[in-house]
Amino acid sequence: MTFSRIKSWFLVSALLLLILTNHHVVAQRTFTNPIKNSGPDPWVLQKDGWYYYMNTTGRNLTLWKTRNLADLNTAESKIIYTPPAGKPYSRELWAPEIHSFNGRWYVYFSADSLNNLSHRVWVIENTSPDPMQGEWTMKGKIGDKGDHWAIDMSVIDFDGQLYAAWSGWEGPTNGRQDIYLAKLKNPWTIDGDRVKISQPDQPWEQHGDVPQEWQKNGEIPKIYVNEGPEFLRHDNKLFIVYSANACWLDYSLGLLTYEGKGNLLDPKSWTKSAQAVFTQAPENGVWAPGHGGFFRSSSRDGGLGQDWMIYHANPSATDGCGNKRAPHIQPFTWNADGSPNFGKPVPKTPMPIP
């Protein structure tokens, strides 16, 4: 092959590469938040290239399965569990989360039998390789020795040991929800005492004015809230991202940090960030973001994927705690000190899919 032919071959190859690259850019799929019109307390688990999604329905436990969260509206879905009437977990099913431990599937959810005062956390199990198949069985109530009020439990396997975090009351209704942590003996049993690692003690966490109509029904005038704790690990650090203030006000995300040293169950091992780490962005049409969760996108090239967050938010300032809360997703980065940088809620404009 002559030099001129070699040169021509390289030029043609470069041109084809440019055309293919430009075609890829043009063909890049996008999505626009919210990814679903309604979905309070959203949760995502990415496993083996599949995304498993859940949110509060109030009546049952519904599971969605999709290859990409951008397709959530058309994804396969199934009611995997409807509690029998009259059971202590038959009403007000909140904040379901699906997890996978030791080859089995577990869903944690909050429920009651009469009213909010009886809310506790319950666990169901499925031994099928596919959680959309097989039978889900009730493992029972998961709670501390004192059987305190509890909601919003999440679980993590941290270096071979299971831990649970949730929101609870210190005693009877006292107008304050705290974050508790405990070690687990197995996926449905707490081992030892619960430990309080956070309470709403910062000024930015104390915007808990209760609406006047609620006060007429006997509610106390203020409720200070720490709830919706979610684990997030990065290198040797463990974070708990929680929701503060109230879903009917300026819901925001706060951050607890465990530096990887000391006893995980010692409250002194946790540091609370002085300010909220994720707040509403009215300029982008996003109000009251809360109940944040985290997942890594399914890499298409065998890499590690990208870090993403999911949260629910309202489309206006007056939508409160109802079904207008819809799931939003967006990527996030890490600061130089290893802490998460969530930025702010992104505008409702097209962005690349996970």
Side-chain angles (χ1 to χ4, degrees), residues 24 46 95 110 151 155 162 172 174 195 205 217 240 314 324 326 347:
H24 175 74
Q46 192 276 111
S110 315
I151 62 169
V155 178
L162 292 178
N174 61 357
V195 176
E205 299 174 298
N217 294 326
I240 291 179
N314 278 324
K324 288 187 178 181

Side-chain angles (χ1 to χ4, degrees), residues 28-34 308 329 331 346-353:
Q28 173 68 61
R29 288 187 60 202
T30 62
F31 75 97
T32 301
N33 278 320
W308 286 71
I329 60 173
V346 297
K348 297 176 182 179
T349 55
M351 57 190 297
I353 63 172

Side-chain angles (χ1 to χ4, degrees), residues 201-217:
D201 52 14
Q202 300 299 309
W204 73 269
E205 299 174 298
Q206 297 180 343
H207 301 172
D209 292 333
V210 172
Q212 287 295 323
E213 60 270 23
W214 293 14
Q215 295 183 39
K216 293 177 183 177
N217 294 326

Side-chain angles (χ1 to χ4, degrees), residues 121-140:
V121 178
W122 303 81
V123 189
I124 57 174
E125 179 190 60
N126 189 341
T127 61
S128 171
D130 183 351
M132 303 292 279
Q133 307 298 323
E135 181 181 358
W136 287 90
T137 58
M138 173 58 67
K139 298 300 292 184

Side-chain angles (χ1 to χ4, degrees), residues 158-159 232-240 255-273 335-340:
F158 187 71
D159 294 341
L232 176 61
R233 184 171 188 174
H234 186 58
D235 296 332
N236 65 327
K237 293 186 178 183
L238 183 64
F239 303 95
I240 291 179
L255 184 69
L256 303 172
T257 302
Y258 170 70
E259 296 285 351
K261 300 176 182 178
N263 182 1
L264 194 69
L265 295 176
D266 183 351
K268 295 179 181 177
S269 297
W270 292 88
T271 303
K272 177 186 287 189
S273 295
N335 296 312
D337 64 357
S339 63

Side-chain angles (χ1 to χ4, degrees), residues 52-281:
Y52 300 95
Y53 169 91
M54 303 188 78
N55 63 235
T56 291
T57 70
R59 306 172 305 280
N60 56 48
L61 301 179
T62 301
L63 180 64
W64 284 259
K65 179 181 180 180
T66 180
R67 285 291 187 185
N68 199 291
L69 280 180
D71 302 322
L72 189 59
N73 272 323
T74 58
E76 176 187 6
S77 67
K78 180 180 180 181
I79 297 175
I80 60 172
Y81 190 79
T82 300
K87 293 291 185 180
Y89 46 86
S90 61
R91 299 179 68 255
E92 296 185 321
L93 280 68
W94 295 349
E97 291 192 5
I98 186 168
H99 293 263
S100 177
F101 301 119
N102 301 320
R104 300 189 174 197
W105 300 93
Y106 297 90
V107 171
Y108 300 81
F109 66 99
S110 315
D112 65 45
S113 59
L114 182 62
N115 56 42
N116 184 38
L117 296 178
S118 61
H119 254 110
R120 299 295 188 273
V121 178
W122 303 81
V123 189
I124 57 174
E125 179 190 60
N126 189 341
T127 61
S128 171
D130 183 351
M132 303 292 279
Q133 307 298 323
E135 181 181 358
W136 287 90
T137 58
M138 173 58 67
K139 298 300 292 184
K141 178 170 60 177
I142 176 171
D144 66 293
K145 295 176 181 177
D147 191 29
H148 292 90
W149 183 91
I151 62 169
D152 297 352
M153 182 173 287
S154 193
V155 178
I156 189 174
D157 183 334
F158 187 71
D159 294 341
Q161 173 63 55
L162 292 178
Y163 293 91
W166 69 95
S167 178
W169 293 339
E170 195 166 84
T173 308
N174 61 357
R176 196 188 75 215
Q177 287 178 225
D178 304 327
I179 302 297
Y180 291 91
L181 185 67
K183 186 167 62 173
L184 297 185
K185 184 181 304 182
N186 54 47
W188 60 91
T189 309
I190 286 179
D191 184 10
D193 297 323
R194 67 175 186 169
V195 176
K196 183 173 69 175
I197 59 173
S198 179
Q199 67 182 55
D201 52 14
Q202 300 299 309
W204 73 269
E205 299 174 298
Q206 297 180 343
H207 301 172
D209 292 333
V210 172
Q212 287 295 323
E213 60 270 23
W214 293 14
Q215 295 183 39
K216 293 177 183 177
N217 294 326
E219 294 277 0
I220 55 179
K222 288 182 178 292
I223 297 177
Y224 298 149
V225 174
N226 277 184
E227 62 185 6
E230 300 292 359
F231 293 103
L232 176 61
R233 184 171 188 174
H234 186 58
D235 296 332
N236 65 327
K237 293 186 178 183
L238 183 64
F239 303 95
I240 291 179
V241 182
Y242 63 95
S243 303
N245 294 326
C247 55
W248 63 90
L249 295 171
D250 55 337
Y251 221 31
S252 304
L253 296 181
L255 184 69
L256 303 172
T257 302
Y258 170 70
E259 296 285 351
K261 300 176 182 178
N263 182 1
L264 194 69
L265 295 176
D266 183 351
K268 295 179 181 177
S269 297
W270 292 88
T271 303
K272 177 186 287 189
S273 295
Q275 300 295 330
V277 294
F278 194 68
T279 59
Q280 61 190 18

